[in-house]
Amino acid sequence: GAVVSQHPSWVICKSGTSVKIECRSLDFQATTMFWYRQFPKQSLMLMATSNEGSKATYEQGVEKDKFLINHASLTLSTLTVTSAHPEDSSFYICSVGELYEQYFGPGTRLTVT
Amino acid sequence: KQEVTQIPAALSVPEGENLVLNCSFTDSAIYNLQWFRQDPGKGLTSLLLIQSSQREQTSGRLNASLDKSSGRSTLYIAASQPGDSATYLCAVAHTGNQFYFGTGTSLTVIP
């Protein structure tokens, strides 16, 4: 299966600042990447689908101007949380897909103080 | 919209016991179903993938079954060990590579 990495693995930032999370597909050309969010003791919820070379598709209720997604190459997608607030504190996980089987990154823990 | 539910939400068993985790989904038009393990603060580890045409998959002490028509899957863990303690998530795959995750079962195996 594909190997997916995320950077950073955890980040603490102050309210009002922006944070960028990287998702890299190390051995798989990913035209599509997915971003999920997981709040404590809850399951993963799909936030957006990142498409290489085009705009991301956001799920209902996810603010596209707040969660900026850039998929500039087949191996890298970034999620930028703009003007972060404490309620954005969560676990963010990306994945890449292959024939309906997805491979997940290790996740990024974001804490906004 | 697909809804995936897992029962029970939490389970505590003594070491050595066999156990069953349940997953149900509302839309049976799925491509596959996958079981994952998630340790606290960590990402997902894929355990078993069952294609929609399959009935079950086995890996070591794990056996997953799928009844697509009734919208159910079970994950059977034999001879449980403390190292099996984790949250177990099921997810179903739909058109466009979208995954819908279940609510998770938190398993604790007591030594």
Short mmCIF file of all heavy atoms in Angstrom, two decimals, chain A residues 32 34 36 38 41-46 49 59 91 93 97-102 104-107 109, chain B residues 1 31-32 34 36 38 41-44 46 49 51 89 93-99 101-104:
data_model
loop_
_atom_site.label_atom_id
_atom_site.label_comp_id
_atom_site.label_asym_id
_atom_site.label_seq_id
_atom_site.Cartn_x
_atom_site.Cartn_y
_atom_site.Cartn_z
N THR A 32 -5.77 12.49 -6.13
CA THR A 32 -6.78 12.86 -5.14
C THR A 32 -6.27 12.55 -3.75
O THR A 32 -5.74 11.47 -3.50
CB THR A 32 -8.10 12.10 -5.38
OG1 THR A 32 -8.54 12.33 -6.72
CG2 THR A 32 -9.18 12.56 -4.40
N PHE A 34 -7.50 13.19 0.49
CA PHE A 34 -8.65 13.51 1.34
C PHE A 34 -8.18 14.05 2.67
O PHE A 34 -7.19 13.58 3.23
CB PHE A 34 -9.51 12.26 1.56
CG PHE A 34 -9.99 11.63 0.29
CD1 PHE A 34 -9.23 10.67 -0.35
CD2 PHE A 34 -11.19 12.01 -0.28
CE1 PHE A 34 -9.66 10.09 -1.54
CE2 PHE A 34 -11.63 11.43 -1.46
CZ PHE A 34 -10.86 10.47 -2.09
N TYR A 36 -9.44 14.70 6.61
CA TYR A 36 -10.43 14.37 7.63
C TYR A 36 -10.10 15.12 8.91
O TYR A 36 -8.96 15.49 9.17
CB TYR A 36 -10.40 12.87 7.94
CG TYR A 36 -10.84 11.97 6.81
CD1 TYR A 36 -9.96 11.60 5.82
CD2 TYR A 36 -12.15 11.49 6.75
CE1 TYR A 36 -10.36 10.76 4.79
CE2 TYR A 36 -12.56 10.65 5.72
CZ TYR A 36 -11.65 10.30 4.75
OH TYR A 36 -12.06 9.47 3.74
N GLN A 38 -10.94 14.88 13.19
CA GLN A 38 -11.46 14.04 14.27
C GLN A 38 -11.39 14.80 15.58
O GLN A 38 -10.30 15.11 16.07
CB GLN A 38 -10.65 12.74 14.37
CG GLN A 38 -11.20 11.77 15.39
CD GLN A 38 -10.38 10.49 15.46
OE1 GLN A 38 -9.17 10.52 15.29
NE2 GLN A 38 -11.04 9.36 15.71
N LYS A 41 -12.82 11.78 21.01
CA LYS A 41 -13.79 10.72 21.24
C LYS A 41 -14.87 10.68 20.16
O LYS A 41 -15.96 10.16 20.39
CB LYS A 41 -14.43 10.86 22.63
CG LYS A 41 -13.42 10.71 23.76
CD LYS A 41 -14.09 10.57 25.10
CE LYS A 41 -13.08 10.47 26.22
NZ LYS A 41 -12.16 9.33 26.06
N GLN A 42 -14.57 11.21 19.00
CA GLN A 42 -15.50 11.13 17.89
C GLN A 42 -14.82 10.46 16.70
O GLN A 42 -13.61 10.27 16.69
CB GLN A 42 -15.99 12.53 17.49
CG GLN A 42 -16.83 13.21 18.57
CD GLN A 42 -17.40 14.52 18.09
OE1 GLN A 42 -17.64 14.71 16.90
NE2 GLN A 42 -17.67 15.42 19.02
N SER A 43 -15.61 10.10 15.72
CA SER A 43 -15.04 9.44 14.56
C SER A 43 -14.52 10.47 13.56
O SER A 43 -14.66 11.67 13.76
CB SER A 43 -16.08 8.54 13.91
OG SER A 43 -15.47 7.70 12.95
N LEU A 44 -13.93 9.97 12.51
CA LEU A 44 -13.38 10.86 11.49
C LEU A 44 -14.50 11.38 10.60
O LEU A 44 -15.37 10.64 10.19
CB LEU A 44 -12.37 10.12 10.61
CG LEU A 44 -10.98 9.91 11.17
CD1 LEU A 44 -10.98 8.79 12.19
CD2 LEU A 44 -10.00 9.61 10.05
N MET A 45 -14.40 12.66 10.28
CA MET A 45 -15.35 13.27 9.37
C MET A 45 -14.59 13.86 8.19
O MET A 45 -13.61 14.59 8.37
CB MET A 45 -16.14 14.38 10.08
CG MET A 45 -17.02 13.88 11.22
SD MET A 45 -18.30 12.75 10.67
CE MET A 45 -19.33 13.86 9.72
N LEU A 46 -15.06 13.52 6.98
CA LEU A 46 -14.42 14.05 5.78
C LEU A 46 -14.65 15.55 5.70
O LEU A 46 -15.78 16.02 5.81
CB LEU A 46 -15.00 13.36 4.54
CG LEU A 46 -14.44 13.81 3.19
CD1 LEU A 46 -12.97 13.44 3.08
CD2 LEU A 46 -15.25 13.19 2.06
N THR A 49 -12.08 17.06 -0.33
CA THR A 49 -11.35 16.24 -1.28
C THR A 49 -10.44 17.16 -2.07
O THR A 49 -10.90 18.14 -2.68
CB THR A 49 -12.31 15.51 -2.22
OG1 THR A 49 -13.19 14.71 -1.44
CG2 THR A 49 -11.55 14.63 -3.20
N GLU A 59 -16.87 19.47 1.99
CA GLU A 59 -18.10 18.88 2.51
C GLU A 59 -18.98 19.98 3.10
O GLU A 59 -18.49 21.07 3.47
CB GLU A 59 -17.80 17.83 3.57
CG GLU A 59 -17.08 16.61 3.02
CD GLU A 59 -17.89 15.86 1.99
OE1 GLU A 59 -19.00 15.38 2.33
OE2 GLU A 59 -17.43 15.76 0.84
N PHE A 91 -7.73 16.71 15.56
CA PHE A 91 -6.77 15.80 14.94
C PHE A 91 -7.09 15.77 13.46
O PHE A 91 -8.22 15.42 13.08
CB PHE A 91 -6.92 14.41 15.58
CG PHE A 91 -5.80 13.45 15.30
CD1 PHE A 91 -4.49 13.79 15.59
CD2 PHE A 91 -6.07 12.20 14.76
CE1 PHE A 91 -3.45 12.90 15.35
CE2 PHE A 91 -5.03 11.31 14.52
CZ PHE A 91 -3.73 11.65 14.81
N ILE A 93 -6.28 14.33 9.70
CA ILE A 93 -5.67 13.18 9.02
C ILE A 93 -5.93 13.28 7.53
O ILE A 93 -7.04 13.61 7.10
CB ILE A 93 -6.25 11.84 9.53
CG1 ILE A 93 -6.05 11.71 11.04
CG2 ILE A 93 -5.60 10.66 8.82
CD1 ILE A 93 -6.62 10.41 11.61
N GLY A 97 -6.02 7.71 -2.12
CA GLY A 97 -6.89 6.59 -2.47
C GLY A 97 -6.39 5.83 -3.67
O GLY A 97 -5.79 6.39 -4.58
N GLU A 98 -6.66 4.54 -3.65
CA GLU A 98 -6.31 3.66 -4.76
C GLU A 98 -7.38 2.60 -4.89
O GLU A 98 -7.49 1.74 -4.03
CB GLU A 98 -4.95 3.00 -4.49
CG GLU A 98 -4.48 2.08 -5.59
CD GLU A 98 -3.16 1.44 -5.26
OE1 GLU A 98 -2.85 1.28 -4.07
OE2 GLU A 98 -2.41 1.09 -6.20
N LEU A 99 -8.15 2.68 -5.95
CA LEU A 99 -9.18 1.69 -6.21
C LEU A 99 -10.06 1.46 -4.98
O LEU A 99 -10.27 0.35 -4.52
CB LEU A 99 -8.54 0.36 -6.66
CG LEU A 99 -7.81 0.43 -8.01
CD1 LEU A 99 -7.14 -0.90 -8.30
CD2 LEU A 99 -8.77 0.82 -9.11
N TYR A 100 -10.49 2.53 -4.43
CA TYR A 100 -11.42 2.50 -3.30
C TYR A 100 -10.78 1.93 -2.04
O TYR A 100 -11.47 1.49 -1.12
CB TYR A 100 -12.69 1.74 -3.64
CG TYR A 100 -13.36 2.35 -4.85
CD1 TYR A 100 -13.29 1.74 -6.09
CD2 TYR A 100 -14.04 3.55 -4.74
CE1 TYR A 100 -13.88 2.32 -7.20
CE2 TYR A 100 -14.63 4.14 -5.84
CZ TYR A 100 -14.55 3.52 -7.07
OH TYR A 100 -15.13 4.09 -8.14
N GLU A 101 -9.49 1.92 -1.99
CA GLU A 101 -8.79 1.55 -0.76
C GLU A 101 -7.90 2.72 -0.39
O GLU A 101 -7.05 3.12 -1.17
CB GLU A 101 -7.96 0.30 -0.97
CG GLU A 101 -7.22 -0.15 0.27
CD GLU A 101 -6.48 -1.45 0.04
OE1 GLU A 101 -6.64 -2.04 -1.04
OE2 GLU A 101 -5.74 -1.87 0.94
N GLN A 102 -8.11 3.28 0.78
CA GLN A 102 -7.38 4.48 1.16
C GLN A 102 -6.28 4.18 2.15
O GLN A 102 -6.39 3.28 2.98
CB GLN A 102 -8.35 5.51 1.74
CG GLN A 102 -9.31 6.07 0.71
CD GLN A 102 -10.06 7.27 1.21
OE1 GLN A 102 -9.68 7.93 2.17
NE2 GLN A 102 -11.17 7.58 0.55
N PHE A 104 -3.87 6.02 5.00
CA PHE A 104 -3.96 7.21 5.84
C PHE A 104 -2.61 7.63 6.39
O PHE A 104 -1.74 6.81 6.66
CB PHE A 104 -4.91 6.93 7.01
CG PHE A 104 -6.34 6.85 6.59
CD1 PHE A 104 -6.87 5.69 6.04
CD2 PHE A 104 -7.17 7.96 6.70
CE1 PHE A 104 -8.18 5.61 5.62
CE2 PHE A 104 -8.49 7.89 6.30
CZ PHE A 104 -9.00 6.72 5.75
N GLY A 105 -2.47 8.94 6.54
CA GLY A 105 -1.30 9.47 7.20
C GLY A 105 -1.42 9.29 8.69
O GLY A 105 -2.47 8.89 9.20
N PRO A 106 -0.35 9.62 9.43
CA PRO A 106 -0.35 9.42 10.88
C PRO A 106 -1.11 10.49 11.65
O PRO A 106 -1.33 10.35 12.84
CB PRO A 106 1.14 9.47 11.23
CG PRO A 106 1.73 10.32 10.15
CD PRO A 106 0.95 10.04 8.92
N GLY A 107 -1.53 11.55 10.95
CA GLY A 107 -2.32 12.58 11.62
C GLY A 107 -1.49 13.72 12.16
O GLY A 107 -0.29 13.59 12.42
N ARG A 109 -1.90 16.67 15.22
CA ARG A 109 -2.68 17.17 16.36
C ARG A 109 -2.51 18.68 16.42
O ARG A 109 -1.40 19.17 16.60
CB ARG A 109 -2.18 16.54 17.66
CG ARG A 109 -2.76 17.14 18.93
CD ARG A 109 -4.18 16.70 19.17
NE ARG A 109 -4.29 15.27 19.27
CZ ARG A 109 -5.47 14.63 19.23
NH1 ARG A 109 -6.59 15.30 19.07
NH2 ARG A 109 -5.51 13.32 19.33
N LYS B 1 -27.89 10.08 2.75
CA LYS B 1 -26.47 10.02 3.05
C LYS B 1 -26.19 8.79 3.90
O LYS B 1 -26.95 8.43 4.77
CB LYS B 1 -26.04 11.28 3.79
CG LYS B 1 -24.55 11.33 4.08
CD LYS B 1 -24.19 12.58 4.84
CE LYS B 1 -22.71 12.59 5.20
NZ LYS B 1 -22.32 13.78 5.96
N TYR B 31 -18.75 -0.16 -2.15
CA TYR B 31 -17.71 -0.86 -2.90
C TYR B 31 -16.93 -1.80 -2.01
O TYR B 31 -16.53 -2.88 -2.42
CB TYR B 31 -16.77 0.15 -3.56
CG TYR B 31 -17.37 0.81 -4.75
CD1 TYR B 31 -18.03 2.03 -4.63
CD2 TYR B 31 -17.30 0.23 -6.00
CE1 TYR B 31 -18.60 2.64 -5.73
CE2 TYR B 31 -17.87 0.83 -7.11
CZ TYR B 31 -18.52 2.03 -6.97
OH TYR B 31 -19.09 2.63 -8.06
N ASN B 32 -16.66 -1.34 -0.81
CA ASN B 32 -16.00 -2.22 0.14
C ASN B 32 -16.19 -1.68 1.55
O ASN B 32 -16.75 -0.59 1.75
CB ASN B 32 -14.50 -2.38 -0.17
CG ASN B 32 -13.71 -1.07 -0.07
OD1 ASN B 32 -13.94 -0.27 0.83
ND2 ASN B 32 -12.76 -0.88 -0.95
N GLN B 34 -13.99 -1.49 5.32
CA GLN B 34 -12.65 -1.66 5.88
C GLN B 34 -12.72 -1.47 7.39
O GLN B 34 -13.45 -0.61 7.88
CB GLN B 34 -11.71 -0.62 5.25
CG GLN B 34 -10.24 -0.92 5.37
CD GLN B 34 -9.41 -0.10 4.38
OE1 GLN B 34 -9.93 0.57 3.52
NE2 GLN B 34 -8.10 -0.17 4.52
N PHE B 36 -10.41 -0.58 10.74
CA PHE B 36 -9.18 0.09 11.14
C PHE B 36 -9.02 -0.01 12.65
O PHE B 36 -9.98 -0.13 13.41
CB PHE B 36 -9.21 1.58 10.78
CG PHE B 36 -9.25 1.87 9.31
CD1 PHE B 36 -10.46 1.99 8.64
CD2 PHE B 36 -8.07 2.05 8.60
CE1 PHE B 36 -10.50 2.28 7.29
CE2 PHE B 36 -8.10 2.34 7.25
CZ PHE B 36 -9.32 2.45 6.59
N GLN B 38 -7.19 2.31 15.72
CA GLN B 38 -6.58 3.59 16.04
C GLN B 38 -6.17 3.60 17.50
O GLN B 38 -7.00 3.43 18.40
CB GLN B 38 -7.56 4.75 15.77
CG GLN B 38 -6.92 6.12 16.00
CD GLN B 38 -7.86 7.26 15.67
OE1 GLN B 38 -9.07 7.16 15.83
NE2 GLN B 38 -7.30 8.36 15.18
N GLY B 41 -4.33 9.11 20.04
CA GLY B 41 -3.50 10.17 19.48
C GLY B 41 -2.74 9.77 18.23
O GLY B 41 -1.84 10.49 17.80
N LYS B 42 -3.08 8.64 17.66
CA LYS B 42 -2.36 8.14 16.49
C LYS B 42 -3.27 8.07 15.27
O LYS B 42 -4.47 8.27 15.35
CB LYS B 42 -1.81 6.73 16.79
CG LYS B 42 -0.91 6.65 18.01
CD LYS B 42 0.40 7.37 17.80
CE LYS B 42 1.32 7.16 18.99
NZ LYS B 42 2.60 7.90 18.82
N GLY B 43 -2.64 7.77 14.13
CA GLY B 43 -3.40 7.62 12.91
C GLY B 43 -4.07 6.26 12.83
O GLY B 43 -4.21 5.55 13.83
N LEU B 44 -4.46 5.89 11.63
CA LEU B 44 -5.21 4.66 11.42
C LEU B 44 -4.34 3.54 10.88
O LEU B 44 -3.50 3.77 10.02
CB LEU B 44 -6.35 4.90 10.44
CG LEU B 44 -7.34 6.00 10.78
CD1 LEU B 44 -8.38 6.11 9.70
CD2 LEU B 44 -7.98 5.74 12.12
N SER B 46 -4.84 -0.02 8.98
CA SER B 46 -5.82 -0.86 8.31
C SER B 46 -5.66 -2.31 8.78
O SER B 46 -4.56 -2.84 8.82
CB SER B 46 -5.63 -0.78 6.80
OG SER B 46 -6.56 -1.63 6.15
N LEU B 49 -9.80 -5.51 4.79
CA LEU B 49 -10.60 -4.90 3.74
C LEU B 49 -11.46 -5.99 3.12
O LEU B 49 -10.93 -7.02 2.70
CB LEU B 49 -9.71 -4.26 2.68
CG LEU B 49 -10.38 -3.78 1.41
CD1 LEU B 49 -11.20 -2.54 1.69
CD2 LEU B 49 -9.37 -3.52 0.31
N GLN B 51 -14.12 -6.64 0.09
CA GLN B 51 -14.77 -6.14 -1.11
C GLN B 51 -16.27 -6.46 -1.04
O GLN B 51 -16.68 -7.39 -0.36
CB GLN B 51 -14.17 -6.76 -2.36
CG GLN B 51 -12.69 -6.51 -2.55
CD GLN B 51 -12.35 -5.05 -2.81
OE1 GLN B 51 -13.23 -4.23 -3.10
NE2 GLN B 51 -11.09 -4.70 -2.69
N LEU B 89 -12.43 1.17 14.20
CA LEU B 89 -13.33 1.92 13.32
C LEU B 89 -13.64 1.10 12.08
O LEU B 89 -12.74 0.47 11.51
CB LEU B 89 -12.68 3.23 12.89
CG LEU B 89 -12.35 4.25 13.98
CD1 LEU B 89 -11.45 5.35 13.41
CD2 LEU B 89 -13.61 4.87 14.52
N ALA B 93 -16.80 2.37 1.70
CA ALA B 93 -16.35 3.15 0.54
C ALA B 93 -17.48 3.28 -0.47
O ALA B 93 -18.16 2.31 -0.78
CB ALA B 93 -15.15 2.50 -0.10
N HIS B 94 -17.63 4.50 -0.99
CA HIS B 94 -18.66 4.79 -1.97
C HIS B 94 -18.04 5.39 -3.23
O HIS B 94 -16.83 5.57 -3.32
CB HIS B 94 -19.68 5.78 -1.40
CG HIS B 94 -20.77 5.12 -0.63
ND1 HIS B 94 -22.05 4.93 -1.11
CD2 HIS B 94 -20.76 4.59 0.60
CE1 HIS B 94 -22.76 4.32 -0.21
NE2 HIS B 94 -22.02 4.10 0.84
N THR B 95 -18.86 5.74 -4.17
CA THR B 95 -18.43 6.37 -5.41
C THR B 95 -17.55 7.57 -5.11
O THR B 95 -17.84 8.35 -4.22
CB THR B 95 -19.65 6.83 -6.22
OG1 THR B 95 -20.51 5.72 -6.42
CG2 THR B 95 -19.23 7.41 -7.55
N GLY B 96 -16.50 7.73 -5.89
CA GLY B 96 -15.62 8.87 -5.71
C GLY B 96 -14.63 8.69 -4.60
O GLY B 96 -14.03 9.65 -4.14
N ASN B 97 -14.43 7.45 -4.20
CA ASN B 97 -13.45 7.16 -3.17
C ASN B 97 -13.81 7.78 -1.83
O ASN B 97 -12.94 8.02 -1.01
CB ASN B 97 -12.06 7.64 -3.57
CG ASN B 97 -11.21 6.51 -4.09
OD1 ASN B 97 -11.49 5.35 -3.84
ND2 ASN B 97 -10.16 6.84 -4.78
N GLN B 98 -15.06 8.06 -1.60
CA GLN B 98 -15.44 8.63 -0.31
C GLN B 98 -15.62 7.53 0.71
O GLN B 98 -16.23 6.50 0.44
CB GLN B 98 -16.75 9.41 -0.46
CG GLN B 98 -16.56 10.73 -1.18
CD GLN B 98 -17.68 11.68 -0.89
OE1 GLN B 98 -18.50 11.46 -0.01
NE2 GLN B 98 -17.73 12.78 -1.64
N PHE B 99 -15.08 7.80 1.87
CA PHE B 99 -15.21 6.88 2.99
C PHE B 99 -16.15 7.48 4.01
O PHE B 99 -16.08 8.67 4.30
CB PHE B 99 -13.85 6.67 3.66
CG PHE B 99 -13.10 5.45 3.21
CD1 PHE B 99 -13.12 5.06 1.89
CD2 PHE B 99 -12.35 4.71 4.10
CE1 PHE B 99 -12.43 3.94 1.46
CE2 PHE B 99 -11.64 3.59 3.69
CZ PHE B 99 -11.69 3.21 2.37
N PHE B 101 -17.02 6.89 7.92
CA PHE B 101 -16.53 6.18 9.08
C PHE B 101 -17.63 5.95 10.10
O PHE B 101 -18.55 6.75 10.26
CB PHE B 101 -15.40 6.97 9.74
CG PHE B 101 -14.09 6.80 9.05
CD1 PHE B 101 -13.74 7.62 7.99
CD2 PHE B 101 -13.20 5.82 9.46
CE1 PHE B 101 -12.52 7.46 7.35
CE2 PHE B 101 -11.99 5.64 8.82
CZ PHE B 101 -11.65 6.45 7.76
N GLY B 102 -17.49 4.86 10.81
CA GLY B 102 -18.37 4.58 11.93
C GLY B 102 -17.95 5.37 13.14
O GLY B 102 -16.95 6.08 13.16
N THR B 103 -18.73 5.22 14.17
CA THR B 103 -18.54 5.98 15.40
C THR B 103 -17.45 5.39 16.29
O THR B 103 -17.00 6.02 17.23
CB THR B 103 -19.86 6.01 16.17
OG1 THR B 103 -20.41 4.70 16.20
CG2 THR B 103 -20.85 6.95 15.50
N GLY B 104 -17.03 4.18 15.99
CA GLY B 104 -15.92 3.58 16.73
C GLY B 104 -16.34 2.78 17.94
O GLY B 104 -17.35 3.07 18.58
#
